[in-house]
Amino acid sequence: MNKETREEIISLIKREVVPAVGCTEPAAVALCVAKATELLGVLPAEINVALSGNMLKNAMGVGIPGTGMIGLPIAIAMGALVGKSEYGLEVLKDVNEENVKSGKAYIDEGRINIRHFSDAPSVLYIEVDCNSKDSHTKAIISGSHTNFIFLEKNGDVLLNKTDSSEEGKPATENPGDPKLDMASVYEFATTAPFEEIKFILEAKRLNKAAAELALENNYGHSLGYTMKNKGVELFGDSTLAHIISYTSAACDARMGGAQIAVMSNSGSGNQGICATMPVVSYAEDINANEEQLARALILSHLTSIYIKQSLGRLSALCGCVVASTGASSGIVYLMGGGYDEICAAVKNMIANITGMICDGAKPSCSLKISSGVGTALMSAMLAMDSKCVTEAEGIICDDVDRSIHNLTSIGREAMQATDRLVLHIMTNK
C-alpha cells in the first residue's frame, strides 16, 4: 500500500476515532446549543430544539456527565450554561456542581422546548433556535455529530451548507474518504509502519480508564463490577469473563454519566468502547506487545468504520453488532490468524447477531455490548478452527464484502419500520 493511500486511511481513522465525554447524541445536542448560545452572546431566554427520530431515541435515557441526571433537558441547559463549542464532543467537560444547580433552575423555569422533527432531512439532525430579548440565533448540525451545516444570527446567514447535502447518503461517507473493503482494511492494519499507527493506543488509555473507574464504583447497572466481583463463581477467571467485565464496565461508566472521556468510533462512544476493550483485554491476557495491540486495534476500528460507511451513522441496528465484528477481527489477528480467518470471523458474526435493535443509548447498553463481545470471542475461536458459516446459510455469501453489505442493507433499509416503532414505543410509555 502506497504512502498516499495510507495517509488517507490514517486521516479517516483520526476523524472517526475521537474522544467524547458522555453519550455522543446528547453531547452533539449540547454542542449545537453551545454554538447557538455563543452566537447569541448572552444566556438564552428560550431554547427550542428540533431533533430527528434517531437523535431523540439515543438521547432520552442516558446519563449526562457530571450532572447525576439523565436525558436531553439537562444536556441542553448545560450546553447553554457551560458548554464550549471548541471542545467538540467534549463540550460538557467543564460541568460542575454549581452549573448543575443553575441548569435545574433553568429547566424548572420552562425555558427549554424539545420536539420531534419527523421530516428531518437526515437521520442525524439537530436544529437549535436560541432567543433573547433582542436577538435570535439558529444552529443546525446534520449528517455527523459535529458537522454544522447552518448558522444564523438575527437574519444574517453565517454558514449555509444545506444546499450541498445529499439526502439518503450514509452519514459517515464523504466524497474524499478512501473506499474500503476487507482486503484493504487488512492490508493497512498489518503492513502500515508502526510509527504511523501507534496513535491508536490512545484508545486503550482512555477506554481502559473508563473501565477501571466503573470497576471500582457503581455506574449504570454495574454489569462490569458485578462480573468482576461476583461472576467468578459462574464464569471463572477466564478470558471471556475478562473481556465482558472490561468492556461492559467502560459502557457502565459512560452510560451512567461518569465525567470521563472515552474514545469513540464513527460518532459513538459505545462503539469505540466495543471496538477497543475486547481487543485490549485479550492482548493483556496473552501478553501481546504494543505493536501487536496497535495493529489489532487498527483492524478492529477500521473494520467498524468500513461497515458504518454503508450502514450510516445512526440506524435501527445496534452499534455493538458493528463494533463487535471489528473486535472479533482484532482478536483473530492476536490469535495469529490471517486474512482468511478474519473474513471467517466477520461472516460468523454477521450470521449470529444481525438484527439486534437499537432502542436508544442507556445504561442497559452494557448488556447488549456483553452479548456482542461474547459472540466476538466465539466467532474468532471458530474461525481459528477453520469453521465458517457458509453461503448456503441465511444472508452469508462466500464474499465477505457482500456479506457485510447484506448486513448494512438490512440495518439501513429493512429496519426503518422497526426504528419508527421503537421510537413510538419509547415516546408513548
Side-chain angles (χ1 to χ4, degrees), residues 274-275 279 296 299-301 303-304 307 321-331:
C274 201
V279 178
L299 186 55
S300 178
H301 279 277
T303 297
S304 301
I307 297 172
V321 175
V322 175
S324 296
T325 301
S328 191
S329 301
I331 291 170

Side-chain angles (χ1 to χ4, degrees), residues 83-138:
K84 292 183 176 63
S85 65
E86 65 193 78
Y87 291 166
L89 291 178
E90 296 181 274
V91 60
L92 298 181
K93 69 180 180 180
D94 291 340
V95 168
N96 61 38
E97 191 174 334
E98 287 303 311
N99 303 145
V100 176
K101 289 180 182 177
S102 299
K104 289 177 179 177
Y106 193 87
I107 295 167
D108 290 342
E109 290 164 5
R111 296 171 179 263
I112 297 170
N113 302 295
I114 304 166
R115 70 178 177 91
H116 175 208
F117 187 178
S118 58
D119 296 321
S122 168
V123 295
L124 196 165
Y125 186 88
I126 307 162
E127 183 175 311
V128 174
D129 289 277
C130 287
N131 300 302
S132 67
K133 182 178 179 181
D134 302 312
S135 294
H136 164 266
T137 58
K138 181 190 288 286

Side-chain angles (χ1 to χ4, degrees), residues 411-427:
R412 187 182 65 249
E413 299 164 18
M415 294 179 73
Q416 287 185 12
T418 301
D419 217 15
R420 290 191 293 270
L421 181 56
V422 167
L423 180 62
H424 174 79
I425 292 169
M426 290 175 65
T427 54

Side-chain angles (χ1 to χ4, degrees), residues 28-29 31-39 48-50 125-130 136-142 147-153 159:
V29 175
L31 172 63
C32 200
V33 170
K35 188 69 171 181
T37 301
E38 289 164 0
L39 292 175
N48 297 297
V49 179
Y125 186 88
I126 307 162
E127 183 175 311
V128 174
D129 289 277
C130 287
H136 164 266
T137 58
K138 181 190 288 286
I140 299 175
I141 286 175
S142 183
N147 182 42
F148 284 96
I149 64 166
F150 186 84
L151 298 172
E152 176 258 324
K153 180 176 182 179
L159 172 71

Side-chain angles (χ1 to χ4, degrees), residues 92-359:
L92 298 181
K93 69 180 180 180
D94 291 340
V95 168
N96 61 38
E97 191 174 334
E98 287 303 311
N99 303 145
V100 176
K101 289 180 182 177
S102 299
K104 289 177 179 177
Y106 193 87
I107 295 167
D108 290 342
E109 290 164 5
R111 296 171 179 263
I112 297 170
N113 302 295
I114 304 166
R115 70 178 177 91
H116 175 208
F117 187 178
S118 58
D119 296 321
S122 168
V123 295
L124 196 165
Y125 186 88
I126 307 162
E127 183 175 311
V128 174
D129 289 277
C130 287
N131 300 302
S132 67
K133 182 178 179 181
D134 302 312
S135 294
H136 164 266
T137 58
K138 181 190 288 286
I140 299 175
I141 286 175
S142 183
S144 64
H145 291 75
T146 59
N147 182 42
F148 284 96
I149 64 166
F150 186 84
L151 298 172
E152 176 258 324
K153 180 176 182 179
N154 296 332
D156 294 329
V157 176
L158 309 175
L159 172 71
N160 187 1
K161 298 195 294 183
T162 56
D163 292 338
S164 62
S165 64
E166 298 179 45
E167 188 175 346
K169 186 176 75 172
T172 53
E173 186 178 336
N174 295 311
D177 283 349
K179 303 304 177 187
L180 300 172
D181 56 23
M182 277 310 301
S184 60
V185 168
Y186 176 77
E187 182 182 2
F188 175 80
T190 57
T191 65
F194 175 49
E195 290 301 314
E196 292 182 8
I197 61 171
K198 66 188 299 184
F199 68 87
I200 199 67
L201 294 173
E202 180 69 0
K204 170 190 173 178
R205 187 185 72 82
L206 289 180
N207 293 349
K208 186 177 179 183
E212 289 175 339
L213 178 68
L215 289 173
E216 298 300 325
N217 300 276
N218 285 315
Y219 286 97
H221 294 301
S222 300
L223 177 58
Y225 179 91
T226 303
M227 280 289 297
K228 178 187 176 185
N229 293 283
K230 299 180 181 178
V232 174
E233 217 177 284
L234 296 174
F235 290 87
D237 186 22
S238 65
T239 296
L240 176 62
H242 300 163
I243 286 175
I244 292 176
S245 179
Y246 258 132
T247 310
S248 59
C251 179
D252 287 331
R254 178 174 176 265
M255 295 288 94
Q259 198 164 1
I260 190 169
V262 301
M263 194 67 83
S264 66
N265 182 296
S266 303
S268 168
N270 279 351
Q271 286 171 198
I273 289 167
C274 201
T276 302
M277 289 314 300
V279 178
V280 169
S281 179
Y282 187 81
E284 290 183 349
D285 275 9
I286 65 167
N287 296 314
N289 61 39
E290 280 199 338
E291 181 172 347
Q292 290 170 322
L293 174 58
R295 294 193 185 282
L297 286 173
I298 286 287
L299 186 55
S300 178
H301 279 277
L302 193 54
T303 297
S304 301
I305 292 168
Y306 164 45
I307 297 172
K308 292 290 284 186
Q309 280 185 331
S310 58
L311 177 63
R313 202 168 286 269
L314 295 176
S315 75
L317 188 70
C318 178
C320 87
V321 175
V322 175
S324 296
T325 301
S328 191
S329 301
I331 291 170
V332 168
Y333 174 80
L334 290 173
M335 288 177 168
Y339 179 68
D340 289 342
E341 289 78 18
I342 286 167
C343 289
V346 169
K347 289 189 276 188
N348 290 342
M349 289 293 294
I350 294 169
N352 192 336
I353 56 174
T354 294
M356 183 184 288
I357 64 165
C358 171
D359 55 345

Side-chain angles (χ1 to χ4, degrees), residues 379-395:
S379 295
M381 177 186 68
L382 286 174
M384 291 301 293
D385 199 30
S386 301
K387 301 292 193 304
C388 179
V389 177
T390 68
E391 187 172 38
E393 302 172 72
I395 64 170

